[in-house]
Amino acid sequence: MTQTYNVAVVGATGLVGEAILELLEERDFPVGDLFPLASAESAGKPVYFKGRSFKVGVLADFDFAQVQIALFSAGSDVAAEYAPRAVEAGCVVIDNSACFRNEPEVPLVVPEVNPERVHEHCGIIANPNCSTIQMLVALAPIYRSVGIRRINVSTYQAVSGAGRKAVEELARQTALLLNARDIDNQLFAKQMAFNVLPQIDSMDDSGYSGEELKMVWETRKILEDDEIGVTPTCVRVPVFFGHSEAVHIETRDQISALEVRELLEQSPGIEVIDEPEGGGWATAVTEAAGKDAVFVSRIREDITCDNGINLWIVSDNVRKGAALNAVQIAELLVRNGV
Amino acid sequence: MTQTYNVAVVGATGLVGEAILELLEERDFPVGDLFPLASAESAGKPVYFKGRSFKVGVLADFDFAQVQIALFSAGSDVAAEYAPRAVEAGCVVIDNSACFRNEPEVPLVVPEVNPERVHEHCGIIANPNCSTIQMLVALAPIYRSVGIRRINVSTYQAVSGAGRKAVEELARQTALLLNARDIDNQLFAKQMAFNVLPQIDSMDDSGYSGEELKMVWETRKILEDDEIGVTPTCVRVPVFFGHSEAVHIETRDQISALEVRELLEQSPGIEVIDEPEGGGWATAVTEAAGKDAVFVSRIREDITCDNGINLWIVSDNVRKGAALNAVQIAELLVRNGV
């Protein structure tokens, strides 16, 4: 008989919460009792798991002593209030928000990169930001092999990274524009349909956005390297699912594009698609959306720098960028007993 | 009495050709007789200039001795065949295609950057690639002030850069997808609607695309600096008009973000929009489309490098990236007599 674990999914009606339920089923996670939870507003709605319908419970009323694992994807405010309560009740929290990521005692884990950190938790394990996760799955093997001094990354991020309302805003704006009607911006600062917006999260005094600074310090924390330089430009594009990244690195020791390719082909969680002809590269829609892997394409030497490598990195931001990474952390946890 | 010039517009029914006619009118270019020309397929169609309708003539039948200036925007094959004929007939050709850009005796001109080269022509003046033009309008003042060693650029390029059929393909695919219908790809290698494609032009053995290599050698030719390193990643995004670029430079001497801002605010052809709050940055749709300027936003120091500056550069690819730049070259020409 397999040991099972009672699991709470906090934010069960959101895009990431839904994907967590799908992935727990798809990957046959040993779920005992399941408790989908949300705010009072969403409570009572049905969600589905292994052919059964579950009524979403009210987070504020839930007794976390009933579960061993709680997967949170409900934003920083909710995590700040409820994750400590869940921990106090004896449960391990895997949190998708940025709330605890920077706390020294909270492991920030990408299972392909630093799985060993999972077991050092004091009740909370943080899931990194979507853009960081896919970048580091692809870069960690190179980092381990030849070292990386600097990362310069420009992102092409899907609207689903901003949640269900952002997906609806892109769809609504697109439909209105195709019908020559006026649009309004509710969630985004400017028109999102047929446009690209160079700001995600609020801007810092340094001129970097919150999303960009997350990529900087999360990379340092996960790789345990305070020296590594990261300069990101984070941009929202009118894509529903799947983040793309143009990544430029400077390695410590020289490595050829061919060696990088061979290295990544043998590395976990990565699929290399890199042919010069016939669209031999990955895109958000045609390769990444709905898939688990981080796709790497356009691996080439930087013609301006001896130790430079350029790559194109694409992954499903809701799956590997959030839900899948969280479920993989849960899998690591149960492998040695929670 | 103002001297006038007879002008031929080759490719008059294309997106760029149409914009050239608009701009000749808008900027009150001293047009004497106007000859809109195209392939036999498009001949006979009407185009409009200063309230008059003109029938598009057949390029193959045209006698270029009738005009002093010919503005070509009809692709490399057409330029290769007809531009030399026009020159032989005594006319000056301003060509938008890549056909002659790399020829040593052909000036490659961005009027804000190297206007003095216009008069060194042997009959043909080349218009640079759209992505190069907007980048160099913004970078040339910095280059002149402190020098630039390396440019790392990721582009977010509108489909109109690939012509009218590409605009139609994005519109068609978007409408079909919103109606849950199947799409096909005619011009693009993969789905363009709600997706980003990391290849523009064919791929080289080095792993760089044709569009990327154009940005490399056009930059060197225009700045007259064979040492400057340029490493571009050129990406097509589902935007109709307006290219955006995330540009990262390493200067020779140090310069602060504030100094860059002050420098660019005083430089020709540039509008700086750079505020931390309330969407204080330019986008393709809301600022650039239909405008003449190159917009620069998000000017900040690169936190990974002492001499690094990051910028966000946006412009209308059909106007400043093609038609406007060509008309500005024509204006420079007539200033001193053709």
Side-chain angles (χ1 to χ4, degrees):
Chain A
M1 217 187 104
T2 321
Q3 196 188 341
T4 61
Y5 300 85
N6 296 344
V7 175
V9 176
V10 178
T13 58
L15 286 178
V16 174
E18 258 180 18
I20 286 175
L21 292 172
E22 268 175 46
L23 285 158
L24 288 172
E25 176 168 345
E26 196 180 300
R27 297 169 73 90
D28 213 13
F29 189 85
V31 177
D33 290 333
L34 177 74
F35 299 90
L37 303 171
S39 63
E41 203 180 293
S42 297
K45 286 187 185 168
V47 296
Y48 300 91
F49 181 71
K50 294 198 175 175
R52 276 180 58 200
S53 164
F54 290 74
K55 217 190 246 181
V56 172
V58 181
L59 169 62
D61 302 340
F62 186 67
D63 174 10
F64 279 96
Q66 300 172 81
V67 297
Q68 288 83 53
I69 298 171
L71 295 152
F72 274 64
S73 61
S76 285
D77 293 349
V78 172
E81 184 170 355
Y82 292 97
R85 291 198 205 177
V87 173
E88 215 169 296
C91 155
V92 179
V93 171
I94 301 166
D95 181 36
N96 251 301
S97 81
C99 185
F100 304 105
R101 285 182 195 149
N102 213 1
E103 302 291 327
E105 73 281 9
V106 174
L108 185 63
V109 176
V110 181
E112 292 84 352
V113 180
N114 60 344
E116 69 284 359
R117 293 293 166 204
V118 158
H119 300 289
E120 296 169 5
H121 70 83
C122 308
I124 299 176
I125 301 162
N127 218 27
N129 185 40
C130 44
S131 320
T132 312
I133 292 175
Q134 72 182 64
M135 183 172 83
L136 290 188
V137 168
L139 296 189
I142 306 171
Y143 181 82
R144 299 269 151 70
S145 169
V146 291
I148 296 176
R149 263 183 229 283
R150 276 174 83 188
I151 303 170
N152 179 320
V153 49
S154 300
T155 71
Y156 303 69
Q157 295 182 233
V159 295
S160 53
R164 196 187 296 284
K165 282 187 181 155
V167 168
E168 289 164 358
E169 184 151 321
L170 172 58
R172 187 179 60 246
Q173 287 190 346
T174 308
L176 287 169
L177 288 168
L178 286 187
N179 289 291
R181 304 225 341 247
D182 288 341
I183 60 152
D184 64 341
N185 307 308
Q186 291 173 10
L187 212 111
F188 294 109
K190 302 195 178 187
Q191 177 181 324
M192 185 70 255
F194 306 116
N195 201 15
V196 303
L197 309 187
Q199 182 178 355
I200 300 178
D201 214 335
S202 59
M203 219 75 100
D204 189 81
D205 284 343
S206 63
Y208 281 79
S209 70
E211 183 86 354
E212 289 160 358
L213 292 173
K214 280 181 213 161
M215 292 188 82
V216 176
W217 63 257
E218 290 183 10
T219 297
R220 289 182 174 161
K221 178 164 178 172
I222 295 165
L223 297 179
E224 297 170 35
D225 179 353
D226 287 340
E227 301 294 308
I228 193 167
V230 187
T231 185
T233 301
C234 288
V235 179
R236 195 71 78 186
V237 295
V239 167
F240 288 110
F241 295 96
H243 287 357
S244 305
E245 297 177 340
V247 177
H248 312 266
I249 58 171
E250 284 174 43
T251 57
R252 290 194 180 274
D253 300 322
Q254 206 164 359
I255 186 167
S256 71
L258 185 63
E259 287 167 326
V260 170
R261 185 192 175 122
E262 287 169 355
L263 184 63
L264 297 187
E265 280 174 340
Q266 300 158 17
S267 299
I270 296 173
E271 195 171 316
V272 174
I273 300 181
D274 197 6
E275 300 302 330
E277 299 298 332
W281 24 260
T283 76
V285 168
T286 51
E287 282 74 25
K291 302 284 171 40
D292 290 348
V294 170
F295 295 85
V296 183
S297 302
R298 303 217 53 208
I299 304 166
R300 64 205 148 108
E301 287 144 33
D302 180 338
I303 48 177
T304 67
C305 158
D306 280 346
N307 283 13
I309 292 287
N310 297 342
L311 315 96
W312 178 251
I313 301 171
V314 189
S315 193
D316 185 324
N317 55 302
V318 172
R319 287 173 76 95
K320 184 56 192 165
L324 174 61
N325 201 73
V327 171
Q328 285 175 305
I329 291 174
E331 289 171 349
L332 285 173
L333 267 183
V334 305
R335 200 168 297 159
N336 297 14
V338 178
Chain B
M1 215 186 104
T2 321
Q3 194 187 343
T4 62
Y5 299 85
N6 296 344
V7 175
V9 176
V10 178
T13 59
L15 287 178
V16 175
E18 258 179 18
I20 286 174
L21 292 172
E22 268 175 47
L23 285 157
L24 288 173
E25 176 168 345
E26 197 179 300
R27 297 170 72 90
D28 212 14
F29 189 85
V31 177
D33 289 333
L34 177 73
F35 298 90
L37 303 170
S39 64
E41 204 179 291
S42 297
K45 287 188 185 167
V47 295
Y48 300 90
F49 181 72
K50 296 197 174 175
R52 275 180 59 201
S53 165
F54 289 74
K55 218 190 245 182
V56 172
V58 181
L59 169 62
D61 303 339
F62 186 67
D63 176 9
F64 280 95
Q66 300 172 82
V67 297
Q68 287 84 52
I69 298 173
L71 294 151
F72 274 63
S73 61
S76 284
D77 292 350
V78 172
E81 185 170 353
Y82 292 97
R85 290 198 205 176
V87 173
E88 215 169 299
C91 155
V92 179
V93 171
I94 301 166
D95 182 36
N96 251 301
S97 80
C99 185
F100 304 104
R101 288 183 194 149
N102 215 0
E103 302 290 328
E105 73 281 8
V106 173
L108 186 63
V109 176
V110 182
E112 291 83 353
V113 181
N114 60 344
E116 69 284 359
R117 293 294 167 204
V118 157
H119 300 288
E120 295 169 4
H121 70 81
C122 306
I124 299 176
I125 301 162
N127 218 27
N129 186 40
C130 43
S131 321
T132 312
I133 291 175
Q134 71 182 65
M135 183 172 83
L136 291 189
V137 168
L139 296 189
I142 307 172
Y143 180 82
R144 298 270 151 71
S145 167
V146 291
I148 296 176
R149 264 182 227 283
R150 276 174 84 189
I151 303 170
N152 180 320
V153 50
S154 300
T155 71
Y156 302 71
Q157 293 181 236
V159 296
S160 52
R164 196 186 296 282
K165 282 187 179 156
V167 169
E168 289 165 358
E169 185 150 322
L170 173 58
R172 187 177 61 243
Q173 287 189 347
T174 307
L176 287 169
L177 288 168
L178 286 187
N179 289 292
R181 301 215 356 235
D182 288 341
I183 60 151
D184 64 342
N185 306 309
Q186 291 174 10
L187 211 112
F188 294 110
K190 302 195 178 188
Q191 178 182 322
M192 185 68 255
F194 306 115
N195 202 15
V196 302
L197 310 187
Q199 182 180 353
I200 300 178
D201 213 333
S202 58
M203 218 75 100
D204 189 81
D205 285 343
S206 63
Y208 281 78
S209 70
E211 183 84 354
E212 289 160 358
L213 292 173
K214 279 180 215 162
M215 292 188 82
V216 176
W217 63 256
E218 290 183 9
T219 296
R220 288 181 176 162
K221 179 166 178 172
I222 295 164
L223 296 180
E224 298 171 33
D225 180 352
D226 286 342
E227 300 294 307
I228 192 167
V230 187
T231 184
T233 301
C234 287
V235 179
R236 195 71 80 185
V237 295
V239 168
F240 288 110
F241 295 96
H243 287 356
S244 306
E245 298 177 339
V247 177
H248 312 267
I249 57 171
E250 285 174 42
T251 57
R252 290 195 180 273
D253 299 322
Q254 207 164 357
I255 185 166
S256 71
L258 185 63
E259 287 167 325
V260 170
R261 185 193 173 121
E262 288 169 353
L263 184 62
L264 297 188
E265 280 174 340
Q266 301 158 14
S267 300
I270 296 174
E271 194 170 318
V272 174
I273 299 181
D274 197 6
E275 299 302 329
E277 299 299 331
W281 23 261
T283 76
V285 168
T286 51
E287 282 73 25
K291 302 283 171 41
D292 289 348
V294 170
F295 295 86
V296 183
S297 303
R298 302 214 58 208
I299 304 167
R300 63 203 149 109
E301 285 144 34
D302 180 339
I303 48 177
T304 67
C305 158
D306 281 345
N307 284 14
I309 293 285
N310 296 342
L311 316 96
W312 177 251
I313 301 171
V314 189
S315 194
D316 185 324
N317 56 300
V318 171
R319 286 174 77 97
K320 183 56 194 167
L324 174 62
N325 201 74
V327 171
Q328 285 175 305
I329 291 174
E331 289 170 349
L332 285 174
L333 266 182
V334 305
R335 201 166 299 160
N336 297 14
V338 178

